Amino acid sequence: LRESNDTKDYILVIGGLGFIGSHTTLELLKDGQNVVVVDNMSNSFESAFNNIHRLARKHWASRGAACPDFKLHKVDYRSPIMRTVLGGYAIQDPALSTTRLSHITGVIHFAAYKSVEESTQRPLDYYLNNVAGMIELLILLGDFGIKNFVFSSSATVYGSVLSEDGEPVEEEQLVHHPTQRVDSNGQATSLTPGIKGLTSPYGRTKYFSEAILADVALADPSWRITALRYFNPVGCEPSGLLAEDPRQKPTNLFPVVCQVLSGERPALDIFGTDWDTRDGTAVRDYIHVVDLARGHLAALAAAGGRPSELAFRAYNLGTGSGSTVAEVVSCMEKAACRSIPVRRTGRRTGDVGFCVAATDRAMRELNWKTQLSLDDCAADTWRCLRLSGKVAA
Ligand code: WQD
């Protein structure tokens, strides 16, 4: 726990040892922010904590400075112990007013189950952890007056709003109260198409969570809640120490391509070559995980400057440009200097042909945009694979 005489402020990262969480925790430390991580280790390893710390110390040592404070509580964010953990950072309010104060000045909540396929088999586990867990967390944070809350959301909330017309998807296309969709004249119309077309319990947990967050902010505008809708996070930071190491069998494109390169799979099945896209394979917005991590720092920093009518705000985190599956394969072949065997198969259930972020809101309001390219994603992915020892150099 925290030493009683510690008066420093911290950012709380829940699930901070996972793939995106660890990259975000590292960026926070490199930005000079003190971090406390709560992680139940269900889908991460303690080595991630040591690797993050090692990389952050190296960053600061090269600048002749000490690394910010970095603490880990190996706790499930839903356990009663969480109240004790947060109590360790509470500030005894001198005026003894009802508003609690804390040395935790912001929270990023990554801890959620994230497998689309698994969510169809275990919907109650997903609703319990991803939705009920978040509700309990918000109640606890509210008790401690911790109200700068960044939520890990997903482009999957757009459901069937995504079309094959090739237009980047705007945040406005999803009304947070799933009772109505507002047309260009501000007139309420039918149910947001997204909720009808959400293709999995996982996607619905993200959609319902956003609706709940919007309701909380509407009821109490002292919150500053930010939902970050990730498009397709890929790659890893250059050392390769924080590469994704899923305990489940991967189904996402980049990890599957890695399994083909390492010989764990004979070929990549390309799901559908008859989409209405430039080469017939589906288009996605692949964002480097380091760019994604930096988007969280920008969101934390910008929250305080938002007016109360924007107590809840959602942002797309994507590059704004799309790549086809075939283009990803070519990029990875170039990075690995070897060919990747592919098999052309039918479409995967629930897939859409096109999903690319409109990025102007994040650029305008968070002063954030991606810096890294698909080639950078491929090069870092290949380096991580080589460093893992799964492929010969
Ligand atoms: C990308 C493209 C596939 C594997 C998923 C989740 C979404 C979000 C991000 C959490 C698609 C094609 C893939 C393969 C293929 N996760 N593909 N062969 O489906 O865009 O989004 O991850 O928030 O919720 O749905 O990502 O990497 O699975 O697929 O052809 O073996 O690659 O059809 O066009 P997706 P993906």
Side-chain angles (χ1 to χ4, degrees), residues 114 116 154 156 202 231-232 251-253 256 268-271 282 284 286 325 348 351:
K114 61 175 183 178
V116 169
S154 163
T156 201
Y202 163 76
F231 280 67
N232 289 67
T251 59
N252 290 144
L253 180 61
V256 168
L268 168 74
D269 290 333
I270 296 185
F271 299 142
R284 292 292 184 277
Y286 297 98
V325 176
R348 177 174 63 177
D351 268 1

Side-chain angles (χ1 to χ4, degrees), residues 99-364:
T99 309
R100 300 290 296 268
L101 297 169
S102 175
H103 285 291
I104 291 174
T105 56
V107 181
I108 307 177
H109 181 35
F110 288 108
Y113 298 146
K114 61 175 183 178
S115 164
V116 169
E117 189 180 350
E118 187 183 56
S119 75
T120 56
Q121 294 143 17
R122 296 169 42 204
L124 286 178
D125 289 344
Y126 272 66
Y127 285 114
L128 204 55
N129 186 34
N130 292 12
V131 184
M134 185 196 75
I135 292 169
E136 292 164 334
L137 175 65
L138 289 167
I139 292 167
L140 188 58
L141 294 175
D143 286 351
F144 284 94
I146 302 171
K147 296 192 172 177
N148 182 355
F149 185 75
V150 174
F151 174 68
S152 173
S153 189
S154 163
T156 201
V157 300
Y158 290 110
S160 66
V161 164
L162 299 176
S163 65
E164 295 180 25
D165 65 5
E167 284 306 310
V169 60
E170 296 281 353
E171 288 87 350
E172 289 77 11
Q173 283 180 258
L174 182 79
V175 175
H176 299 308
H177 293 269
T179 50
Q180 65 185 20
R181 180 186 173 103
V182 176
D183 66 19
S184 52
N185 305 317
Q187 298 303 313
T189 57
S190 64
L191 254 186
T192 309
I195 195 166
K196 287 187 220 161
L198 281 176
T199 53
S200 71
Y202 163 76
R204 280 185 281 278
T205 67
K206 291 300 181 184
Y207 188 98
F208 295 150
S209 294
E210 283 206 24
I212 291 163
L213 291 168
D215 286 338
V216 168
L218 203 59
D220 174 358
S222 67
W223 284 89
R224 285 297 175 273
I225 297 175
T226 310
L228 299 179
R229 295 173 184 162
Y230 307 161
F231 280 67
N232 289 67
V234 295
C236 56
E237 55 77 45
S239 81
L241 289 172
L242 305 185
E244 191 167 13
D245 188 349
R247 291 185 175 177
Q248 303 113 333
K249 183 172 180 290
T251 59
N252 290 144
L253 180 61
F254 269 72
V256 168
V257 166
C258 287
Q259 289 192 323
V260 176
L261 286 166
S262 65
E264 294 169 81
R265 283 183 195 230
L268 168 74
D269 290 333
I270 296 185
F271 299 142
T273 54
D274 58 348
W275 296 101
D276 179 15
T277 64
R278 49 185 175 267
D279 62 26
T281 63
V283 171
R284 292 292 184 277
D285 186 331
Y286 297 98
I287 174 172
H288 196 293
V289 67
V290 171
D291 274 331
L292 186 68
R294 290 169 178 158
H296 290 74
L297 274 66
L300 276 175
R306 287 198 325 248
S308 56
E309 54 271 20
L310 295 183
F312 172 88
R313 194 73 165 156
Y315 296 94
N316 291 335
L317 293 189
T319 67
S321 61
S323 305
T324 70
V325 176
E327 288 160 353
V328 168
V329 172
S330 303
C331 251
M332 285 300 294
E333 288 180 327
K334 189 168 65 174
C337 299
R338 61 194 73 180
S339 69
I340 295 168
V342 298
R343 288 190 298 235
R344 285 165 173 69
T345 65
R347 296 179 176 187
R348 177 174 63 177
T349 310
D351 268 1
V352 291
F354 183 91
C355 179
V356 170
T359 56
D360 44 338
R361 180 183 288 189
M363 210 178 300
R364 202 176 49 243

